[in-house]
Amino acid sequence: MKHWAVLLVPLVALIGYFASELGRVDLLLVGTITVDVVDDGSRPAGGAVSYAASIARAYGIRACVVSVAGEDADLSVFAGHELHVVPAAATLTFEHTYTWFGHQRKLRVTANPNVTLSRAHVPRHCQRARTVILGPLTQHELDAASFLEYDSMWDALFRGRQHIGLMAQGFQRRLGPDGRVLPLLTPSPQLLSGLGRSRRVSLFLSDVETEPWSEDWLGLVVGSAERVLITRGSAGATEYNDTGVHDIHIVPVDKVRDTNGAGDTFATGYMLALARGLPDPGAHASWAASRAVMQPQSCKPHCAGDLIEGHVPAWRPADRLAAAAHGLGAAARGLVDRGLREGLAAALHLRQLPPGTLTQMAAKATAGAGGGAAQSGKKKSGGVGGKKLAAGPADEEDDDDDDELASVTVATVTL
Ligand SMILES: *[C@@H]1O[C@H](CO)[C@@H](O)[C@H](O)[C@H]1NC(C)=O
Ligand SMILES: *[C@@H]1O[C@H](CO)[C@@H](O)[C@H](O)[C@H]1NC(C)=O
């Protein structure tokens, strides 16, 4: 009877895991909605999340969208998605001047809702989304670091459970005194903190933002992200990842009608291809962006994904189960990897000890088993802090050992 129970517990846990994965939200989009005031006097809705929402719909995905907007915002682009709006006095308003600098437009902010979105604004069931895409448009509108749920030891176990894509162009924009948008010369603190400590964010920028950076800054950012994708307009894109620097070529189209939202489409296409486990997300993203630039500005962002629709199979329960199995595999690999690394570190640590230490340690341990009680008794009678002190020194010694172990690991990696 007991043997049955031992098998039953992990089985029930596994079934529970797959069942909860089936019900998981596929995509969470977070960022501010804009009103784009264009030369011809029209005021279409815009912003990275608007384009991401339009593209996600083309992929047949119902996303959870968390955004900030005033009463004047046009929210129709989010039809079909689950929309959560944090109300604000004003909607972020960009004035566009179509004077071209390379492929860049001149922008001016004329109204700013002044709300910082964070994970706390996201409903609980959306926080568990399989893929998270963050699309800040200005420096202070989004706390990207708050979305790094597993940014620590747990990350080793949960890597692969949630992909985070950061479309960070807004973090690299500075507002001049007249509201004009200017690029920053170095990566902003918002960008760097949004990458966290454990290299698990996919970062998307365009060459407009990264051009002013020195090699060192670029190296620092690349070293802090899981991958960095820099789009270069008609010159394609560059992917920096664990296997090096890769060119991603554009997919040629007969006629480029409007490049608005091309970068957002690229990023969204990349993240969705990644979640789906497609072999070459970069090439897929490039294809998706090529469909978006074939659409005229007049119908955007609504129509940005229209030429994609029907060309990518929709997510089905089988895909979700496959993604869940993949997540489980990644967690297992994380666990094994961690075990191996710690084991290796421990082995190296032992090898570096002076000869004879092991025998001494063994002798001490044997003596300690008998003498421990007497020792702690002595400390107690010493009196300062009583009980706590007696337990304290032993704990601290353990901690010291851990620290040494950690420093050995680091040294080994550097060598
Ligand atoms: C929002 O604006 C008000 C007044 O302009 C300012 O006092 C406040 O600090 C701003 N809040 C944020 C989060 O920037
Ligand atoms: C790195 O990027 C290239 C080009 O997009 C891709 O083929 C490769 O699989 C990526 N490697 C990793 C580890 O993501």
Side-chain angles (χ1 to χ4, degrees), residues 227 229 239-244 246-248 270 279-283:
R227 57 180 68 79
L229 289 115
E239 174 165 359
Y240 297 82
N241 63 24
D242 278 353
T243 54
H246 311 270
D247 286 330
I248 298 174
Y270 191 105
D280 196 345

Side-chain angles (χ1 to χ4, degrees), residues 7 209 362 405:
L7 278 178
E209 289 93 39
L405 219 61

Side-chain angles (χ1 to χ4, degrees), residues 92-280:
L92 183 63
T93 306
F94 280 109
E95 196 179 87
H96 292 242
T97 321
Y98 280 83
T99 319
W100 292 78
F101 290 99
H103 52 275
Q104 191 192 19
R105 278 156 293 137
K106 244 184 180 168
L107 281 180
R108 208 160 76 91
V109 172
T110 53
N112 196 332
N114 173 5
V115 171
T116 302
L117 283 171
S118 76
R119 196 158 177 274
H121 291 104
V122 178
R124 196 159 279 278
H125 69 282
C126 300
Q127 292 180 2
R128 292 180 62 240
R130 211 165 265 120
T131 298
V132 178
I133 298 182
L134 308 174
L137 299 172
T138 62
Q139 257 186 67
H140 300 287
E141 76 173 55
L142 197 137
D143 176 7
S146 70
F147 289 87
L148 299 170
E149 189 184 1
Y150 304 122
D151 190 41
S152 64
M153 186 191 100
W154 291 104
D155 184 57
L157 301 181
F158 288 98
R159 187 178 289 267
R161 289 264 294 129
Q162 187 172 62
H163 293 291
I164 298 182
L166 176 57
M167 306 192 277
Q169 60 171 349
F171 283 161
Q172 290 308 119
R173 287 169 170 173
R174 180 165 66 84
L175 294 190
D178 56 349
R180 234 185 341 141
V181 175
L182 306 163
L184 289 175
L185 301 182
T186 58
S188 66
Q190 287 80 5
L191 175 83
L192 293 175
S193 71
L195 295 178
R197 286 167 286 133
S198 48
R199 302 196 61 204
R200 60 181 299 258
V201 174
S202 301
L203 177 68
F204 298 88
L205 284 167
S206 83
D207 55 354
V208 175
E209 289 93 39
T210 57
E211 206 114 90
W213 296 1
S214 69
E215 288 278 308
D216 286 350
W217 280 119
L218 183 63
L220 177 77
V221 167
V222 166
S224 310
E226 188 173 10
R227 57 180 68 79
V228 177
L229 289 115
I230 298 175
T231 51
R232 305 184 184 283
S234 60
T238 310
E239 174 165 359
Y240 297 82
N241 63 24
D242 278 353
T243 54
V245 185
H246 311 270
D247 286 330
I248 298 174
H249 301 292
I250 59 157
V251 175
V253 300
D254 289 341
K255 187 167 188 290
V256 174
R257 298 175 79 176
D258 176 65
T259 58
N260 271 303
D264 303 328
T265 304
F266 181 92
T268 308
Y270 191 105
M271 292 308 292
L272 294 179
L274 192 67
R276 214 185 165 117
L278 295 190
D280 196 345

